[in-house]
Amino acid sequence: MTLSYSASAARRITWTLFAAQSLGSAALIANATVNAIVGVDLSGNQALAGLPGTLLLVGAASVAPIAGRLMQRIGRRWGLALGFFIGAFGMLLGGLAINIRSFLLFLAALLLIGAARGAVDQSRYAAADANVPSQRARAISTVVFAGTIGAILGPALVDPSGKLLAIFNLAPLSGPMLSGMLFFAISGILILLQLRPDPRDMAQAIAREFPETQQYQGSARSFLTIVQQPLALLAMVAMIIGQAVMVLIMTVTSEHMNHNHHALSDISLVIMAHTLGMYGFSMLCGRLADRIGRPLTIGLGALILVAGCLMAPISLHTAWLALALFLVGLGWNLCYIAGSTLLSDQLSPNERAAIQGNNELIINVVSASSSMLSGVILAFLGFTMLGYTGAAVSMIVVAMVAWQTKFAQRSGPSEKPST
């Protein structure tokens, strides 16, 4: 029987993805809180404190395009569920590694967890598949908002889970891993039971029933062909640059503050403000992208990124830095949500997952590179030049939006309007 689009099914799918992402995000953030500590503890080498985070990014980057192609073939439901179950297994191995004090097993577990993240981070695209274009940005923003739940619940898991395991003579630092295993497993089961119909099939139903909403309806195109389309390129560049600039500024702000004798409480406040900017206003950002259009929302996000980057080096006052980092987070959120939506708009259902997976690969590679580069710039050029660099890179997106807007005006009303 031919599947038909259902608004109620779209809502259920979106909130299922939100619930699964909330649990998965909490598990990842809980582990991120202690992974560096575990790395140093198991290796006995402080220089390896950053290795766990690097391996997570390597795992995510290497698996993202594979996961995209797999979801194109077997559907979002099975692809995402497999990602969550791989993550659960990775966290089980991680918990075991911490308890038997095996550094190599811990590193292998981190690669598996990173691989899982490379798959489950594509949940926002599944939400886009299940919704018509007029609701697409709101659906993506709902899934992104799950990061807020993770940011609150994740760190709160660390201490009680550790104390619980200590009762059974297990290593307290393995608490986030073993509780994360439970969260990932629940998420995988939730996806299998509730992600029906498959978002991939919903996307095909939308394409059939609302052909006027499809920017492209032909056969699947190559990645190189896609990046030659101005709006698709804008979407990808917005996400890539937004991620690069956000990581560039956020990664070393705590070290910048510590070097200038800020208290840990002040540093925590600034990072909290940044996290609030990244996730707290996702719902509003999604509504904005549906209301004024994706390109304009991307342009606004890029301008906010510029403002945050330029503000950050001006003052060492905690409140000023908190505002600057909040703006960097908010700018990222606008670019991320509107960029994800715009990319989905430009792709047909039979090419969407594979292309999005390739884009996730680039985002993760750029994120890792930006993280490494931030320390180099801080050490040799200073925090002020770091801010200027972030602002200059963000202006690339502003220029692309300005060019796209001018091109759309020249095209006239006879052209198919861009979303």
Side-chain angles (χ1 to χ4, degrees), residues 31 56 82-98 105-116 177-178 180-181 184:
N31 280 282
L56 287 172
L82 181 60
F84 278 115
F85 289 140
I86 290 173
F89 179 66
M91 290 195 175
L92 175 62
L93 283 184
L96 175 63
I98 294 169
L105 185 60
F106 177 65
L107 297 183
L110 290 171
L111 280 172
L112 281 175
I113 296 168
M177 279 288 182
L178 296 178
M181 174 196 70
F184 262 67

Side-chain angles (χ1 to χ4, degrees), residues 298-315:
I298 288 171
L300 177 62
L303 286 172
I304 292 174
L305 274 174
V306 171
C309 290
L310 292 178
M311 285 179 62
I314 291 176
S315 173

Side-chain angles (χ1 to χ4, degrees), residues 9-19 126-128 130-131 138-140 142-143 195:
R11 284 192 296 272
R12 186 183 71 254
I13 288 170
T14 301
W15 286 106
T16 297
L17 291 165
F18 168 80
N131 285 269
R138 270 171 271 197
I140 288 177
T142 299
V143 177
L195 210 68

Side-chain angles (χ1 to χ4, degrees), residues 248 370 372-387 389-390:
L248 187 75
S370 185
M372 293 178 63
L373 185 61
S374 63
V376 175
I377 295 176
L378 180 68
F380 290 98
L381 300 175
F383 194 69
T384 298
M385 186 54 67
L386 188 81
T389 302

Side-chain angles (χ1 to χ4, degrees), residues 262-337:
H262 280 262
L264 284 176
S265 58
D266 291 341
I267 296 173
S268 298
L269 179 63
V270 169
I271 298 304
M272 285 174 59
H274 176 66
T275 305
L276 176 64
M278 285 183 67
Y279 300 115
F281 295 86
S282 295
M283 300 286 200
L284 292 177
C285 293
R287 289 182 178 275
L288 185 67
D290 280 334
R291 190 177 185 87
I292 70 172
R294 319 333 183 189
L296 287 179
T297 305
I298 288 171
L300 177 62
L303 286 172
I304 292 174
L305 274 174
V306 171
C309 290
L310 292 178
M311 285 179 62
I314 291 176
S315 173
L316 285 169
H317 288 306
T318 300
W320 185 267
L321 284 167
L323 176 58
L325 268 289
F326 169 80
L327 291 176
V328 170
L330 180 61
W332 170 85
N333 185 279
L334 287 162
C335 289
Y336 191 69
I337 289 174

